[in-house]
């Protein structure tokens, strides 16, 4: 509702699309107009200034393709910027938080951004692994907190869980 009240945002909802179909749709449109794209899940709260900080990191580096906040630090702890550090993979492996990240548009040399065979889980892993395969690094902004309610979409739509076993099997075979 807040996005509809703010002219800076253009909410776009397409019923019956998977989360990754929506990511791909948004990325294809947004990538034509900017250098960086931020992916923010619907169940997160981010720190003031986080989007600018992620953009600043991408502006200041040549080898970083993905940047993301410190998902182990809660909002109520406040911002405590520290030295950013390089990681690999996604939060499942100690790397990128798939629920909030920013990527460098021109780093994407493949299409679509997320493999369309993935429907609910492992799309963020697919992006991270593809970036690494292409030689890009990812960077974690330690000290920039984020609150992730976690599973909000799945709690409202439990039927989506039916796709997880197939996504897992496909991802493991692919990578």
């Amino acid at each position: 509702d807040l996005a509809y009240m703010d002219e800076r945002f253009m909410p776009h909802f397409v019923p019956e699309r998977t989360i990754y179909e929506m990511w791909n749709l948004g990325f294809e449109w947004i990538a034509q107009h900017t250098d960086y794209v931020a992916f923010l899940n619907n169940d997160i709260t981010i720190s003031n200034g986080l989007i600018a900080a992620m953009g600043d990191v991408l502006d200041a580096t040549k080898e970083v393709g993905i940047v993301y906040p410190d998902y182990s630090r809660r909002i109520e702890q406040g911002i405590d910027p520290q030295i950013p550090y390089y990681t690999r993979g996604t939060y499942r492996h100690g790397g990128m938080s798939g629920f909030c990240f920013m990527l460098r548009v021109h780093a994407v040399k493949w299409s679509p951004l997320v493999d369309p065979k993935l429907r609910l889980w492992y799309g963020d892993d697919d992006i991270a692994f593809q970036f690494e395969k292409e030689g890009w690094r990812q960077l974690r902004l330690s000290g920039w907190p984020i609150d992730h309610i976690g599973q909000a979409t799945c709690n409202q739509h439990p039927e989506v869980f039916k796709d997880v076993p197939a996504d897992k099997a496909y991802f493991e075979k692919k990578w």
Side-chain angles (χ1 to χ4, degrees):
D1 292 341
L2 291 173
Y4 284 108
M5 292 186 279
D6 189 326
E7 65 187 34
R8 296 174 299 170
F9 299 100
M10 288 182 22
H12 190 72
F13 178 74
V14 181
E16 306 305 318
R17 292 261 178 114
T18 69
I19 186 173
Y20 301 131
E21 287 173 325
M22 293 302 294
W23 280 17
N24 287 335
L25 180 69
F27 179 75
E28 292 300 323
W29 185 82
I30 295 167
Q32 298 172 31
H33 305 284
T34 188
D35 294 327
Y36 312 131
V37 174
F39 288 84
L40 311 170
N41 274 17
N42 64 337
D43 55 358
I44 62 170
T45 303
I46 62 174
S47 307
N48 288 335
L50 175 62
I51 299 296
M54 291 192 297
D56 289 346
V57 166
L58 292 174
D59 282 340
T61 61
K62 298 280 187 230
E63 75 281 358
V64 173
I66 301 173
V67 63
Y68 63 95
D70 191 346
Y71 54 83
S72 64
R73 186 173 177 85
R74 302 295 306 242
I75 294 287
E76 65 267 8
Q77 292 175 288
I79 299 169
D80 181 22
Q82 302 163 13
I83 297 171
Y85 58 95
Y86 297 107
T87 63
R88 297 182 62 83
T90 62
Y91 62 94
R92 293 184 225 345
H93 317 99
M96 179 179 89
S97 58
F99 40 84
C100 177
F101 61 95
M102 183 179 283
L103 60 80
R104 186 182 303 272
V105 169
H106 79 266
V108 180
K109 303 274 191 253
W110 63 93
S111 184
L113 179 67
V114 180
D115 190 319
K117 291 182 181 175
L118 296 168
R119 298 183 51 79
L120 176 64
W121 282 0
Y122 298 97
D124 46 353
D125 295 271
D126 194 49
I127 292 170
F129 284 32
Q130 187 68 39
F131 266 83
E132 290 170 13
K133 178 182 168 192
E134 298 292 327
W136 292 95
R137 298 184 82 180
Q138 63 174 287
L139 192 133
R140 183 173 178 177
L141 290 176
S142 60
W144 283 88
I146 181 172
D147 284 343
H148 183 215
I149 297 167
Q151 303 300 325
T153 301
C154 295
N155 290 338
Q156 293 175 13
H157 300 281
E159 72 278 3
V160 299
F161 277 113
K162 69 180 177 11
D163 295 320
V164 173
D167 279 4
K168 185 176 192 286
Y170 176 74
F171 177 81
E172 289 173 351
K173 182 178 178 183
K174 177 179 179 179
W175 291 104

